[in-house]
Structure formats: structure tokens, C-alpha cells
């Protein structure tokens, strides 16, 4: 055991190394753009120079003259592409090449196909477009935006949580705060570029594309092409970073598929880093107004949270994190509202902890401001307002070890040594600040199906169209099967990411481990049941006549109190080579048609605040910042997070997720921001040299504490997803520490040196 492979505590699995680690580090893991295909043509996208208007004319003559160019798809010759409705597996209703309209800067206007990538790229530069241009609205504060209430126009946020009379509570509160915060536009920059590769064999289409939802892509691309989804297979066995960006399908997929059909050759399109900023999704900028009233001893009596989010003109994408913030503490009265501000932008989409990151940054920052106003320790403020029942409907949390997380992280961090006075903890030229915040993430789950086979030689095969997005899915799913079937992990072969397999939900909302392990558990238990019945029924078996419920499957043998029989012998007696079970599982309260909907490409997740009980994973993060007294350089020398996630399948992969989350959290506080030219509604830093993310030099000491937790109510496996928990709260903890060091309260992310220069 080591730091990277933490010793499992109660209700935690072994830190099994990732089963695909060697494949990945040796380059043998085949990512979708790596799949070798004969006679492959290369596609390069051409994108618009304007954010709003129409294409008036395209001049393709120069582009077509480039040697090796085969064909150029444009809105003039690709009209058979069908527009898609926004939602679930579809990232946007914006349908490039289906119409001449331009909705945002950098919209796809053509796909150039050539024998080589170089020729396609050369030709793409030579495509000339003329437009009828209209002035665009870039975002908050721009003329011409339209503000609508989220609950009036979205399926995902139909109600603004509220209870009691907040205005009265705030009027009568001894201490109140009324503060505004903002978070910036942020763009995914996975190491693996976005890509689509399509190959037809007759009317059968195979799509190789990094995807967090292969069944969704299958049905969405079939709709876009107007073909039978049974003729489509989507394969995505490895994904080099996703974090939401490869969740719903973007229109590129169908465009590349159509191109491959048109030229009767497989086509690969790898999207450039720059084009990834405008042809996929991103985290939209948000604004928040938070008001809190409290008694002198810190009990909150009124909480009000209004949010504003940017979205595109045609699509109602919204994250509405008030669903979580309105229920996080035992407030008295609550009022919330979420507004969407429509601008001439590409449609935003999921990015790690889509609602919780921005909304909890605002809430947790306000909690720190309230603690200061109350002259109270910020940990104690959380303790005073901790609750086992959410305030809106009084629904209980299935488990909530929030304060245990605070206490463990505080002890390791040394929080008791904090001098609360602002600017009091200086060391030489460095101003030291300590801050903390809550991490919280809903325990989401969906319907899923899996097939598990146990062979007489003790080998196991698990098949489900779940997704390995870097989280360790192959490993933890394999661990569940190994555990239930009593074999070593090396005997288990897990197949994922292919619509030829039984369906699993989108790898989003951190649901995969909880959902798929619960499903695999069910399939394995059906295998155990068959085996055990066979064992006790056989007259000449050492286990004959025993109660099947007393049997155990361990080390390739079936056992019961001293007696045992080898699997191979039992299979021989059964005259059977293998037992294969197909299982479907869905969380309690799910509509029975959920599995069929999943087969048809629609994934529904439940959990969090969406049921009769509140299901959430919790954590607490503590940070130290050091700010140089003269230059105001900001460093984060230490960060400690303690997290509980029910059953931890694998302490190594869990720690990695939480560590990566905390690093992303540091990035969200200090680095990440897409700069926008307000005149052109154009992203400016579309590259990873100017779009800042933390690098090794930004990360110093980082500690992850796994807090043991048992929750038998969330799902049969007792698992709460952890993938998105770690980056929630980090930015608020850093902002609090910056205040503690300097006395400056920065309410707009990212916090930069220039914000701290004036005194
Ligand atoms: Mo995650 S942003 O729900 O893929």
C-alpha cells in the first residue's frame, strides 16, 4: 500500500491497478481515431468567421483545386441531413450543413474530404465564405440577449425550489449578507481531440467516436441521417478525457457519416484544438445573487439564491444548481430562481460537476462571508446548519457524513492552528490564508443492462455498453464480477463501449460505478444462484442437500462450512461449459419502460434530490494559499480533501478521481477562463497555451482522505459516485483563503494576481 494505493478502510475495495494501464501507457489501447481502416479519407472542418447571420455564397474553386481533394460537403449539397431536437443524447439543435443560418462563431460550414489530412487542411483554408452578417450578442451585458426563466422552458428544471417566507426571514435576521458572484466560460480540453470516424459496409454504418453514451449516439446519428438505428453501430472503447464534453452527440457525427457514404470510403475527421472550442460544448458563464440571514449564533433562517446562465439562441441548456444549493443546509425559508440568458453562442453543455461547480462556488463563498460577518469559525457555521433533512420538503438524506469529512480533513490540515484574523499568518514575504468549503454531488443512477458469463475454467466475461472515460471503469466493473464470482481480477475480461453490447447509461453524472456495478452484481447473483442450486441438487456432490443460501463462491470453488467443490467439477457434473446471465437493473422508483428507452438511446438518471430520499456524496476541502506581499503571485501549497462515497470499489481509482477533481478545482479558482471578444461574440484563447489549466508546478501537496461510509439505501452495491465530487467547493475554499490572507473578497472567478494588486 502507498499514497497512490491507499489501504482500504471499512467498506472499501482493494486498490487494484487499472487493468488497462499497460495498454494505455504502451499506446496499445486503441482510441477511436486510432482504428486502422483501409482506403481512409480525411475530413477537415471549415468553420464560420461570424457569429450571427447567413451564408450568402461559398467559393470552393480554390479549395477544389488542391491536389487530393475528393469532395466538399456544404449546406448546398448536404440537405439530406435532418435537424435534431436538443436534449438527452443530442448536444444542440443547431444543424450545420442542413441550413445556411449561422448561430455562433466557429460554426461548421463545410467538411473538406481529401486523400490526406494535409490536403484536406490546405483546402479547408481555401474555402471562402461570404455572409449576410447581423450584430451578435456575446453574453451577459450584451445588447440583444433574451432572458427567460429556466422553469418555463426546460425539461430538466421544472420548478424553482422554495419554502417559507424568505423576505420576512431576511428582514428579521440579526445578521444578513447580500452578495453577487460570477464564474467564467470554461472549455473542455481533453488530451484526446474530438474526432469521428465512419465506415459503411452496404447500409451498415460503424461510427468510431469517443463517446460517453454510445447508445445515444447510435440513435441520434440514425435520426440525423434518416436511417434505421439497427443499421448503426457505435464503438468507443477508450476515451482520452471526456468530463461531459463527449456526453451528448454533436452534429459532426452525422456530417462525417454522410461524407463517408457520399464518397464510398471510410472518413476520419479529427477536430483541431481551436475548432473544439466552437463545434462542441463548454461550461457556460454564470452569475449569482445570494442572500442569507442568520441568528447571532449562526443558525440560518433565510436563504435566497438566484442564478443566471448563458445559453445559445435555440437551445435551453441549463444546469440549475439551485436544486442542490437549496437543500444543502438546514436553512429556514428558501427562495431560488434560475434564469437563462440567450446569446449568439454555441450551445453549452456538461462539464465536470455541471451544476455543483458554479452554484456551490457561490453558496460556499457566501457561507464564508457569513462566517466572517458572524465572527464565527467557518467549519462551525457548517456544523450549526448541518441537517439530516433537506429544508424544502423535509426529505431525509440516506446518509450524510459531511461533518465527519470536515473533522477528518480539518485534523489532517491542522485547522485548529488557524488565526482567524485577516492577514495574521504571514511568513516572510508571503501572506498565508486558510480556507475551507463543502463538496457535494448527487448520487445519480440509471437503468442498465449487462451480460456476464462464468466459464467452467473460472474465466469471466462481462459485457455492457458502459464507458471507460479514464475513470477506471474496466477495473471497478471487473472487481465487482471478480468479487461476486470468487475469481481473481485477472480472470475477468470486461468489454465496454460498443452498441453491440447490452446498453448502459451515459457516463455522466458520476453514475457509472453505482449503476453498472449494481447491474453486474445482479447478473452475478443470478449465476451464483444457478450454480448453487446445481451444487446442492447433485447427489454425488460434497455440497449435496445443503441450503443454497449458505454456499459461497471463492477461489474457483463452491464452498459451505468445510465442504467444497471445484468449479470445473461442478460444471462437468452439470454437463455445461458456461453459465451466462443477462441482467437488467434500474433504481427504485424508475418507470418500467426505462430499459426500453435506454435501448432506444435515451438515458434517464435519478438520484440526488429527485426521489423520496436525498442521495448525495459529501466532502470537505481545506486549502492554504500563499500570496506574495509585493507581486501578489498566488500559490496553493497545500490542499486536503476528505470525501465519503458509500462503498469505495477501489481506493486507487477513487483517490485518482478525487485528486483530479481537486486539481481541476484549483484550476477553476485560479486558471480557467475562456476570453470572449464582446463585439464578435468570439472566443479568443482557443488553444492550451492561453487557455490556462493547472500544470505540475501549480500543484504542490495534495491529500485525499477516504472517509468510510455505509449506505444501504442508495443502490444494491451501496455505491455513491465520486467522479465529479472533488472539484466542487475547491474554488470557494481558495477564495476564502485569499480573503483570509489579504482581506480582499474576490467574487468573480478566476482569481488573478491583478485582482489583488490594489490595496
Ligand atoms: Mo459529467 S460533466 O456529468 O460527464
Amino acid at each position: 500500500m502507498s499514497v497512490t494505493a491507499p489501504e482500504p478502510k471499512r467498506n472499501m475495495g482493494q486498490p487494484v491497478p487499472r487493468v488497462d494501464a499497460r495498454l494505455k501507457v504502451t499506446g496499445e489501447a486503441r482510441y477511436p481515431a486510432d482504428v486502422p481502416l483501409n482506403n481512409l479519407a480525411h475530413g477537415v472542418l471549415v468553420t464560420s468567421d461570424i457569429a450571427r447571420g447567413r451564408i450568402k455564397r461559398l467559393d470552393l474553386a480554390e479549395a477544389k483545386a488542391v491536389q487530393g481533394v475528393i469532395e466538399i460537403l456544404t449546406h448546398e449539397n448536404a440537405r439530406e441531413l435532418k435537424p435534431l431536437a436538443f436534449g438527452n443524447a443530442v448536444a444542440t439543435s443547431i444543424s450545420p450543413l442542413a441550413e445556411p443560418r449561422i448561430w455562433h462563431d466557429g460554426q461548421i460550414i463545410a467538411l473538406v474530404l481529401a486523400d490526406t489530412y494535409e490536403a484536406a487542411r490546405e483546402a479547408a483554408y481555401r474555402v471562402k465564405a461570404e455572409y449576410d452578417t447581423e450584430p451578435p450578442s456575446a453574453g451577459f451585458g450584451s445588447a440583444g440577449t433574451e432572458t427567460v426563466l429556466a422553469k418555463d422552458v426546460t425539461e430538466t428544471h421544472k420548478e424553482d425550489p422554495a419554502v417559507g417566507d424568505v423576505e420576512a426571514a431576511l428582514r428579521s435576521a440579526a445578521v444578513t449578507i447580500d452578495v453577487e458572484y460570477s464564474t467564467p466560460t470554461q472549455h473542455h480540453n481533453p488530451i484526446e481531440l474530438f474526432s469521428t470516424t465512419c465506415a459503411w459496409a452496404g447500409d451498415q454504418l460503424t461510427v468510431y467516436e469517443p463517446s460517453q453514451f454510445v447508445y445515444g449516439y447510435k440513435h441520434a446519428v440514425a435520426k440525423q441521417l434518416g436511417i434505421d438505428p439497427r443499421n448503426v453501430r457505435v464503438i468507443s472503447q477508450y476515451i482520452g478525457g471526456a468530463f461531459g464534453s463527449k456526453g451528448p452527440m454533436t452534429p459532426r457525427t452525422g456530417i462525417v457519416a454522410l461524407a463517408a457514404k457520399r464518397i464510398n470510403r471510410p472518413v476520419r475527421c479529427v477536430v483541431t484544438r481551436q475548432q473544439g472550442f466552437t463545434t462542441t460544448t463548454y461550461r457556460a458563464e454564470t452569475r449569482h445573487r445570494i442572500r442569507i440571514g442568520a441568528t447571532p449564533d449562526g443558525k440560518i433562517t433565510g436563504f435566497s439564491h438566484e442564478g443566471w446562465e448563458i445559453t445559445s439562441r435555440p437551445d435551453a441548456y441549463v444546469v440549475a444548481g439551485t436544486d442542490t444549493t437549496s437543500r444543502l443546509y438546514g436553512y429556514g425559508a428558501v427562495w431560488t430562481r434560475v434564469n437563462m440568458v440567450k446569446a449568439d453562442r454555441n450551445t453549452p453543455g456538461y462539464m465536470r460537476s455541471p451544476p455543483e461547480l458554479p452554484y456551490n462556488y457561490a453558496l460556499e463563498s457566501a457561507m464564508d462571508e457569513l462566517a466572517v460577518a458572524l465572527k464565527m469559525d467557518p467549519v462551525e457555521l457548517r456544523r450549526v446548519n448541518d441537517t439530516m433533512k433537506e429544508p424544502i420538503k423535509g426529505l431525509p438524506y440516506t446518509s450524510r457524513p459531511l461533518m465527519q469529512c470536515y473533522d477528518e480533513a480539518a485534523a489532517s490540515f491542522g485547522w485548529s492552528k488557524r488565526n482567524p484574523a485577516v492577514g495574521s499568518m504571514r511568513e516572510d514575504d508571503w501572506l498565508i490564508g486558510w480556507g475551507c468549503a463543502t463538496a457535494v454531488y448527487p448520487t445519480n443512477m440509471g437503468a442498465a443492462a449487462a451480460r456476464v458469463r462464468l466459464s467452467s475454467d473460472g474465466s469471466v466475461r462481462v459485457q455492457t455498453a458502459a464507458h471507460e472515460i479514464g475513470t477506471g471503469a474496466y477495473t471497478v466493473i471487473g472487481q465487482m464480477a471478480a468479487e461476486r464470482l470468487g475469481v481473481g481480477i485477472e480472470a475477468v475480461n470486461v468489454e465496454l463501449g460498443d452498441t453491440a453490447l447490452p446498453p448502459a447509461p451515459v457516463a455522466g453524472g458520476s453514475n457509472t460505478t453505482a449503476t453498472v456495478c449494481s447491474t453486474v452484481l445482479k447478473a452475478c447473483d443470478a449465476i451464483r444462484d444457478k450454480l448453487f442450486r446445481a451444487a446442492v441438487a447433485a447427489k454425488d456432490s460434497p455440497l449435496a442437500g445443503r441450503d443454497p443460501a449458505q454456499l459461497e463462491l471463492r477461489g474457483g470453488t463452491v464452498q459451505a462450512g468445510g465442504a467444497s467443490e471445484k468449479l470445473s467439477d461442478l460444471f462437468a457434473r452439470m454437463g455445461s461449459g458456461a453459465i451466462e446471465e443477462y441482467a437488467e437493473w434500474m433504481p427504485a422508483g424508475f418507470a418500467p419502460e426505462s430499459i426500453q428507452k435506454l435501448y432506444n438511446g435515451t438515458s434517464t438518471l435519478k438520484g440526488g434530490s429527485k426521489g423520496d430520499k436525498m442521495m448525495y456524496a459529501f466532502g470537505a476541502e481545506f486549502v492554504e494559499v500563499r500570496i506574495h506581499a509585493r507581486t501578489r503571485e498566488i500559490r496553493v501549497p497545500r490542499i486536503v480533501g476528505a470525501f465519503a462515497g458509500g462503498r469505495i470499489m477501489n481506493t486507487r481509482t477513487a483517490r485518482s478521481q478525487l485528486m483530479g477533481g481537486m486539481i481541476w478545482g484549483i484550476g477553476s479558482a485560479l486558471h480557467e477562463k475562456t476570453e470572449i471578444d464582446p463585439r464578435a461574440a468570439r472566443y479568443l484563447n482557443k488553444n492550451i497555451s492561453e487557455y490556462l489549466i493547472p500544470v505540475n508546478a501549480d500543484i504542490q501537496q495534495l491529500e485525499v482522505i477516504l472517509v468510510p461510509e455505509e449506505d444501504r439505501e442508495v443502490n444494491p452495491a451501496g455505491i455513491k459516485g465520486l467522479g465529479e465530487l472533488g472539484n466542487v467547493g475547491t474554488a470557494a475554499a481558495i477564495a476564502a483563503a485569499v480573503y483570509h490572507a489579504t482581506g480582499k473578497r474576490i467574487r468573480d472567478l478566476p482569481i488573478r494576481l491583478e485582482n489583488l494588486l490594489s490595496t
Side-chain angles (χ1 to χ4, degrees), residues 430-454:
W430 293 92
L431 307 172
I432 298 174
W434 288 2
C436 64
T438 297
V440 59
Y441 197 79
T443 298
N444 291 307
M445 292 157 286
R451 194 158 46 227
V452 179
R453 184 172 72 189
L454 171 66

Side-chain angles (χ1 to χ4, degrees), residues 50-392:
I50 66 158
R52 182 176 167 132
R54 296 174 81 79
I55 304 169
K56 198 158 66 180
R57 207 174 72 84
L58 287 173
D59 180 356
L60 308 179
E62 263 192 64
K64 283 187 170 162
V66 173
Q67 197 185 353
V69 169
I70 306 161
E71 167 78 281
I72 302 175
L73 263 64
T74 72
H75 69 283
E76 288 167 347
N77 61 18
R79 291 291 173 90
E80 60 260 59
L81 287 170
K82 312 268 182 296
L84 295 173
F86 164 78
N88 207 282
V90 174
T92 178
S93 66
I94 295 170
S95 308
L97 308 201
E99 54 162 0
R101 182 149 176 194
I102 302 295
W103 296 91
H104 63 87
D105 185 64
Q107 179 182 316
I108 297 171
I109 59 169
L111 175 68
V112 178
L113 304 167
D115 290 324
T116 64
Y117 172 72
E118 290 74 13
R121 187 179 55 179
E122 174 71 27
Y125 283 130
R126 292 169 187 263
V127 171
K128 303 239 165 16
E130 283 175 40
Y131 306 93
D132 287 321
T133 305
E134 298 166 36
S137 310
F140 291 132
S142 301
T145 58
E146 183 197 355
T147 302
V148 292
L149 284 181
K151 69 179 166 73
D152 292 346
V153 293
T154 69
E155 288 302 303
T156 49
H157 181 77
K158 289 190 176 154
E159 203 183 326
D160 286 318
V163 68
D165 185 345
V166 163
E167 298 306 327
L170 291 172
R171 269 197 308 274
S172 59
V175 177
T176 56
I177 57 159
D178 182 345
V179 278
E180 290 177 25
Y181 302 95
S182 76
T183 65
T185 312
Q186 298 178 338
H187 272 84
H188 302 92
N189 278 284
I191 301 275
E192 179 196 30
L193 295 167
F194 297 95
S195 77
T196 304
T197 301
C198 291
W200 293 83
D203 60 358
Q204 303 288 308
L205 168 66
T206 304
V207 178
Y208 305 90
E209 178 169 332
S211 167
Q212 293 170 255
F213 189 25
V214 288
Y215 267 78
Y217 280 37
K218 169 186 161 116
H219 287 270
V221 77
K223 268 202 199 96
Q224 197 184 359
L225 296 168
I227 62 172
D228 187 336
R230 283 176 295 189
N231 293 339
V232 181
R233 180 176 178 189
V234 179
I235 301 177
S236 180
Q237 290 170 331
Y238 295 98
I239 299 142
F243 304 109
S245 68
K246 293 158 184 169
M249 193 191 85
T250 63
R252 177 187 74 248
T253 310
I255 294 171
V256 175
L258 176 66
K261 180 114 199 161
R262 186 70 62 79
I263 66 170
N264 197 23
R265 281 173 73 171
V267 172
R268 171 163 299 152
C269 172
V270 178
V271 180
T272 66
R273 183 63 67 187
Q274 288 82 349
Q275 291 173 341
F277 278 71
T278 61
T279 63
T280 68
T281 60
Y282 61 99
R283 192 197 300 279
E285 57 269 45
T286 68
R287 289 184 176 180
H288 306 264
R289 181 185 179 198
I290 291 195
R291 294 179 298 157
I292 311 182
T295 63
D297 55 1
K299 187 78 197 122
I300 296 173
T301 52
F303 170 69
S304 162
H305 189 170
E306 181 163 17
W308 290 262
E309 304 176 24
I310 290 293
T311 190
S312 66
R313 289 283 177 196
D315 298 329
Y317 177 84
V318 72
V319 298
T322 47
D323 285 333
T324 291
T325 61
S326 66
R327 297 173 167 99
L328 185 54
Y329 298 110
Y331 324 107
V334 176
W335 183 86
T336 64
R337 184 156 75 185
V338 176
N339 308 276
M340 294 158 60
V341 178
K342 293 182 167 262
D344 298 301
R345 297 272 297 278
N346 48 325
T347 303
Y350 306 111
M351 186 192 272
R352 202 175 198 173
S353 316
E356 282 71 24
L357 187 131
Y359 280 77
N360 278 68
Y361 156 69
L363 166 58
E364 289 299 298
S365 292
M367 289 295 279
D368 195 71
E369 299 210 39
L370 180 63
V372 170
L374 289 160
K375 298 187 174 56
M376 199 171 167
D377 182 280
V379 177
E380 294 316 303
L381 178 63
R382 270 83 172 189
R383 200 182 311 278
V384 166
N385 293 288
D386 191 27
T387 180
M388 281 306 291
K389 274 191 184 159
E390 59 86 35
I392 308 294

Side-chain angles (χ1 to χ4, degrees), residues 419-426 431-432 739-743:
N419 180 342
V422 163
S424 62
M425 292 176 66
R426 188 171 174 145
L431 307 172
I432 298 174
Y739 173 80
H740 181 227
T742 65

